[in-house]
C-alpha cells in the first residue's frame, strides 16, 4: 500500500473560522480518533481505539468554544494520532508509535518505507502546511498572532494517578506561558495548574510550538487539560470560561506581533 486516504475520506485537516478577526490561532493536533479506512483497526481493540491513546478527549470541544468566543481560527487534524501524530516530526518514533502507554499498536510495526511516507505525505504535511500558511498570511498582513495548541491528558498514566489538572507548556519562548501562570496563581487558585506538566520539552511534545510559534517569533503556549475535567458539555464550557479569562488577560499584558 503506497496510498492512504481515499477520496471519500476528504481532507486530513480542517480549519474553522479561518476569517476570524481575533488574534489567536488555536491548533488541535489530536482532535479525532478516526482511522483511515485502509489502516483498519491497526490491530487494536475497540477499548483502545476509544481511549486517550487514539486522541485527546474533550480537547477539540474546548478549542472550538475558545475559537468561537475569541473570533479566532482553529486548525485541527481529522484523523487519529495513531495514524500520524501531527505534534511530532516525521523522524520521531512517536509520530507513528508502535507502543502507546500500555498498548501495543501492531499496525504500526514493520511498516514499509512507502507506507510510512504515505502517512507523512497525506496526513502530516497537509496539516503542517495549513498551519504554516495561516501563520505566514497573518504575518504578511501585519496582524499580531498568538499560537495556542490544545490538548488533554489521562488522569491515570501507567497506573499512577496525576494530581495536576492543567498544564501550561512552553519551549524556548515562555512569554505567554509566564503570563498565564502568573495570572492563574495570583489570588485564589481555581485549578492545580503547573508549568510543563505532565509533559515538557524533554518529552518531545513541543514540536508544534517550535515549528509554528518559536520559529515565527509568535507568543505561544500548549495547554494540557486533564480529560476527566472536560467529559461533557457543561464541564467543557466551564473550562473554556476559565481559559478564556487567562488568555484574554495574558494577551492584554503581552502584545503579540
Amino acid at each position: 500500500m503506497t496510498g492512504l486516504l481515499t477520496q471519500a475520506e476528504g481532507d486530513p485537516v480542517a480549519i474553522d473560522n479561518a476569517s476570524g478577526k481575533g488574534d489567536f490561532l488555536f491548533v488541535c493536533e489530536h482532535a479525532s480518533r478516526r482511522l483511515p479506512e485502509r489502516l483498519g483497526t491497526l490491530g487494536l481493540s475497540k477499548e483502545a481505539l476509544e481511549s486517550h491513546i487514539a486522541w485527546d478527549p474533550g480537547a477539540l470541544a474546548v478549542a472550538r468554544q475558545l475559537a468561537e468566543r475569541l473570533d479566532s481560527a482553529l486548525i485541527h487534524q481529522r484523523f487519529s494520532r495513531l495514524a500520524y501524530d501531527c505534534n511530532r516530526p516525521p523522524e520521531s518514533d512517536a509520530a507513528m508509535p508502535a507502543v502507546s502507554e500500555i498498548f501495543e499498536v501492531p499496525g504500526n510495526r514493520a511498516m514499509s518505507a512507502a507506507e510510512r511516507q504515505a502517512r507523512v505525505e497525506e496526513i502530516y504535511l497537509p496539516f503542517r502546511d495549513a498551519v504554516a500558511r495561516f501563520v505566514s498570511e497573518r504575518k504578511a498582513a501585519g496582524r499580531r498572532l498568538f499560537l495556542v495548541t490544545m490538548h488533554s491528558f489521562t488522569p491515570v498514566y501507567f497506573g499512577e494517578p496525576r494530581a495536576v489538572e492543567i498544564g501550561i507548556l512552553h519551549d524556548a519562548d515562555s512569554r505567554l506561558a509566564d503570563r498565564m501562570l502568573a495570572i492563574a496563581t495570583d489570588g485564589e487558585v481555581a485549578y492545580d495548574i503547573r508549568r510543563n506538566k505532565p509533559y515538557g520539552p524533554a518529552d518531545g511534545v513541543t514540536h508544534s510550538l517550535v515549528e509554528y510559534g518559536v520559529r515565527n517569533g509568535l507568543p505561544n503556549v500548549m495547554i494540557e487539560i486533564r480529560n476527566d475535567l472536560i467529559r461533557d458539555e457543561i464541564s467543557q464550557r466551564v473550562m473554556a470560561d476559565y481559559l478564556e479569562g487567562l488568555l484574554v488577560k495574558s494577551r492584554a499584558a503581552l502584545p503579540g506581533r
Side-chain angles (χ1 to χ4, degrees), residues 51-53 81 88 94 97 99-103 152-164 198-199 203 205 226-227:
S51 76
H52 69 277
I53 73 163
R81 64 196 296 177
R88 300 294 193 282
V99 180
S100 184
E101 198 197 354
I102 62 174
F103 296 93
S152 71
F153 64 94
T154 179
V156 179
Y157 191 61
F158 282 103
E160 293 294 326
R162 286 162 155 171
V164 60
Y199 314 105
D203 302 301
V205 300
R226 207 174 67 195
N227 67 34

Side-chain angles (χ1 to χ4, degrees), residues 123-194:
I123 297 180
Y124 174 68
L125 293 183
F127 186 84
R128 183 200 68 182
D129 292 348
V131 180
R133 184 167 51 250
F134 185 93
V135 171
S136 178
E137 290 172 354
R138 281 295 181 95
K139 288 184 68 179
R143 295 175 60 183
R144 70 176 185 170
L145 190 63
F146 298 82
L147 174 69
V148 181
T149 67
M150 299 294 301
H151 295 259
S152 71
F153 64 94
T154 179
V156 179
Y157 191 61
F158 282 103
E160 293 294 326
R162 286 162 155 171
V164 60
E165 295 178 313
I166 300 175
I168 302 296
L169 283 60
H170 62 84
D171 201 277
D173 181 354
S174 66
R175 290 175 292 167
L176 185 52
D178 289 344
R179 294 311 310 154
M180 291 179 70
L181 286 162
I183 292 166
T185 56
D186 181 19
E188 184 176 351
V189 179
Y191 294 97
D192 185 330
I193 183 166
R194 306 185 196 179

Side-chain angles (χ1 to χ4, degrees), residues 61-83:
V62 176
R64 278 182 161 151
Q65 288 205 35
L66 289 169
E68 181 179 356
R69 296 171 187 213
L70 298 169
D71 191 23
S72 294
L74 164 63
I75 300 178
H76 57 97
Q77 175 54 243
R78 295 184 59 245
F79 292 98
S80 171
R81 64 196 296 177
L82 294 173

